[in-house]
Amino acid sequence: AQSVTQLGSHVSVSEGALVLLRCNYSSSVPPYLFWYVQYPNQGLQLLLKYTTGATLVKGINGFEAEFKKSETSFHLTKPSAHMSDAAEYFCAVSEAGSARQLTFGSGTQLTVLP
Amino acid sequence: DADVTQTPRNRITKTGKRIMLECSQTKGHDRMYWYRQDPGLGLRLIYYSFDVKDINKGEISDGYSVSRQAQAKFSLSLESAIPNQTALYFCATSAGQGQYFGPGTRLTVL
């Protein structure tokens, strides 16, 4: 069984400040890990994914995440927040190889303050 | 044109009515999924299908049924809608790594 915990349902940062959204996962098998973003009244858009290889992965819009197996974490970061980053962010996990199902976290709403 | 489309985008219905939500995709993916999203709960999987002859229940399938009419089409039905099925419903497709989502259907059951 797999699960995802996103710490903080709401995060606020000032424009230009570091964005850090936390994600911890539980999986009995090697995982694939994903971050999705949802803008208001829209579907989910894939930001980035970790499958194999380099543990630091870069995504769209300047976001990146690092897979840390020892900490079972996959935190999402961006060095400098922009107003357009305000959205809800979801971390998700699936089993490596089969990727049959995604298990989602409950989401983190990011607010960017001017 | 969008790769994954959902119809209708918004629907208001009454308790006990049958309703169908439709999903079409042009990505050529074999895998298709239906999720519901509720505030504070993230997305929960209702049903998924890996090809036309393969249908699987997800975490919360009770009260729902699906039909995979073709590789590109996957429909979700509520046989007798109830108010706690009020939610945002998403269809998604996948080729194995990551999923691609439609714009969602907002369903309200009165």
Side-chain angles (χ1 to χ4, degrees):
Chain A
Q2 299 168 306
S3 65
V4 175
T5 301
Q6 291 184 239
L7 298 176
S9 58
H10 291 83
V11 171
S12 294
V13 299
S14 298
E15 191 174 18
L18 171 71
V19 176
L20 170 60
L21 304 182
R22 299 179 186 274
C23 172
N24 288 90
Y25 70 92
S26 173
S27 177
S28 57
V29 298
Y32 286 171
L33 294 158
F34 307 85
W35 275 101
Y36 286 85
V37 59
Q38 184 180 28
Y39 298 103
N41 300 314
Q42 294 187 27
L44 277 71
Q45 180 182 3
L46 182 64
L47 263 182
L48 50 79
K49 63 183 178 184
Y50 168 79
T51 55
T52 59
T55 56
L56 180 64
V57 293
K58 297 184 185 298
I60 61 173
N61 302 336
F63 284 93
E64 63 182 35
E66 186 171 11
F67 169 55
K68 292 187 176 181
K69 183 178 179 180
S70 61
E71 298 177 10
T72 61
S73 68
F74 191 58
H75 301 331
L76 182 70
T77 60
K78 182 175 180 178
S80 177
H82 191 273
M83 297 298 289
S84 61
D85 295 326
E88 188 155 23
Y89 292 80
F90 293 92
C91 182
V93 63
S94 73
E95 291 183 7
S98 69
R100 294 177 66 88
Q101 298 183 40
L102 284 179
T103 299
F104 285 85
S106 57
T108 298
Q109 181 68 48
L110 176 66
T111 300
V112 181
L113 305 171
Chain B
D1 289 341
D3 294 321
V4 184
T5 57
Q6 293 183 233
T7 56
R9 293 293 312 278
N10 289 281
R11 181 72 182 266
I12 300 173
T13 192
K14 294 182 178 180
T15 297
K17 294 292 187 181
R18 184 180 188 274
I19 185 168
M20 178 181 289
L21 309 182
E22 299 186 343
C23 176
S24 295
Q25 55 114 345
T26 59
K27 297 186 76 67
H29 291 167
D30 287 327
R31 303 179 183 187
M32 297 189 73
Y33 304 79
W34 275 104
Y35 293 90
R36 66 177 279 176
Q37 183 180 25
D38 300 277
L41 296 179
L43 278 76
R44 293 180 292 168
L45 182 64
I46 306 172
Y47 271 95
Y48 62 102
S49 168
F50 279 15
D51 64 42
V52 175
K53 296 181 179 180
D54 177 75
I55 302 290
N56 303 278
K57 292 182 177 181
E59 178 186 356
I60 53 164
S61 59
D62 287 350
Y64 301 95
S65 62
V66 292
S67 173
R68 185 81 183 264
Q69 301 94 325
Q71 185 206 37
K73 296 184 182 295
F74 192 36
S75 300
L76 175 72
S77 293
L78 287 67
E79 297 300 327
S80 180
I82 57 176
N84 76 0
Q85 291 177 314
T86 293
L88 189 54
Y89 289 84
F90 287 103
C91 174
T93 73
S94 175
Q97 294 184 8
Q99 293 180 11
Y100 298 87
F101 286 78
T105 294
R106 186 168 296 281
L107 176 65
T108 303
V109 183
L110 301 176

